[in-house]
Amino acid sequence: MYSKEVMDHFRHPRNVGKMENPDGVGKVGDPQCGDEMIIYIKVENNIIKDVSFETYGCAAAISSSSMTTEMMKGKTIEEVLQITNKQVADNLGGLPANKIHCSVLAEDGIRAAIDDYRKKSK
Amino acid sequence: MNKIYFDNNATTRVDDEAIKIMNEYFSSEYGNSSSAHGMGIEALETIDKCREKIAAYINCEPSEIIFTGSGTESDNMALLGYCHLKKPDECHIIVSEIEHSAILNTAKELQKEGYGVSFAKVNREGIIDLDYLESIINEKTKIISIMYANNETGAIQPIKEISEITRKRNIVFHTDAVQYIGKGYIDVKKTEIEMLSASGHKFHAPKGVGFLYLKKGIHIKPLIFGGSHERKIRPGTVNVPYIVSMTKALDVAYRDKEKNTKYIAGLRDTLKTGILDSIDNIVINTPNNSVYNTLNISIPGIEGEAMLFSLSEMGIYISTGSACSSGDSKPSHVMTAMGRSDLEAHGSLRLSLSKYNSQDEIDYVIKSLKEIVDRIRKISPYK
Ligand SMILES: Cc1ncc(COP(=O)(O)O)c(C=O)c1O
């Protein structure tokens, strides 16, 4: 049902945990629907220096979160805003149709974290 | 990889004796019970013997047993069949909030047709609130359907008390006994029940065979039309091998009941204790008065599908009330009806055992659960 990449990121998620003094935090999803994702970012000179996440959700939600954080690292703000849920899903070797919304969560998470960063750095 | 199957409320392995006898009816005693010749007569005698045996297990008349193709069919037959002989505006139905979808969705279908439908509530233990049940009965209430034991939690319902209520008010009582038959004793005379559904594959018979007990004098409209099989209530060539197999499985279940109850209940109790001792913050969803094979727990903060998937990878098969496992947006209606929070409902796991499980499996499952919970809790914002 799940691809090798999903299994790998689910079993060994990258960049897990709460961050001390992040520059931006994005919280998306709804535990009522069974998923919630928090993305923490540190930004230096417009570049994502560090990123981590905490996710409550199914295997697809956890692996999408992990993959998304990997994709964000070292990119500029403008670049990470270009990341789409489809790219996340593709990098995971695809997701089952009923789990696509889990990768949407990750895309929303990026936006929420950047919004928060922009608000704070104004 | 060894398979550790802890999902026996979903379906069960077919009993060896039930397979053996079934095979004889596939390859040598394969007559059609409607045929007039010797092989037909033999087949008819065979199913009548099965009918007698099954009737004896629930203390009804053999003629009150109608063989069906599943628990779902029995449930539909009972509710639709009964209500379709009544006018929608003259017939009010009560089902419980925790019914299987075979009842819930049938009741909702009747609601669309204009029948009045009310839903009986349960308490935090998942047991019917009798006062509330009485309060929603009205002068048009014709039938109440409440399950004997719940498939998710194993909670045994107050069937005797409900039957006293229906008796007093002259209401027909249907019970979905799919999760109870073979595990507990049923007496439809002592506890006055008018209709009862059962399904073979929950008690080590094949999938796709069940029966409905329909008390003499209660009339229902058939769901399908055809020949004169099963008193014209359920036409279609009778599935002799499956019926024989289901009867054998029930024979075995009641023959070995004391031994198996003790064994399986023992396994479940060590499983429960082991989980509670090794993992923090567990919510138990199975009440004390439950079928002995079922343990439902919630691990708040861990989404059930993530848990199910991780266990499945280790060869451990269970089920969850989380929405994400079924592609639904809402978690288990049973957990919600019991007042469980969203995190508790999405984090609910059902482990349901059978005589084929062992103590070694229990130990391995406890250890694996702990490992996975520790790992996933590190990822979750809810610890
Ligand atoms: C309580 C209950 N009722 C009805 C059913 C449906 O039975 P079947 O699978 O035979 O249609 C099930 C199991 O799926 C059940 O657990």
Side-chain angles (χ1 to χ4, degrees), chain B residues 70-72 75 100 147 151 176 178-179 199 201-202:
Chain B
S70 65
T72 302
D75 283 345
H100 187 270
M147 65 202 327
N151 45 304
D176 175 337
V178 165
Q179 294 289 348
S199 174
H201 73 100
K202 310 289 184 177

Side-chain angles (χ1 to χ4, degrees), chain A residues 6 23 38 80 106-107 115:
Chain A
V6 171
D23 296 324
I38 309 178
V80 296
E107 183 185 321
D115 278 354

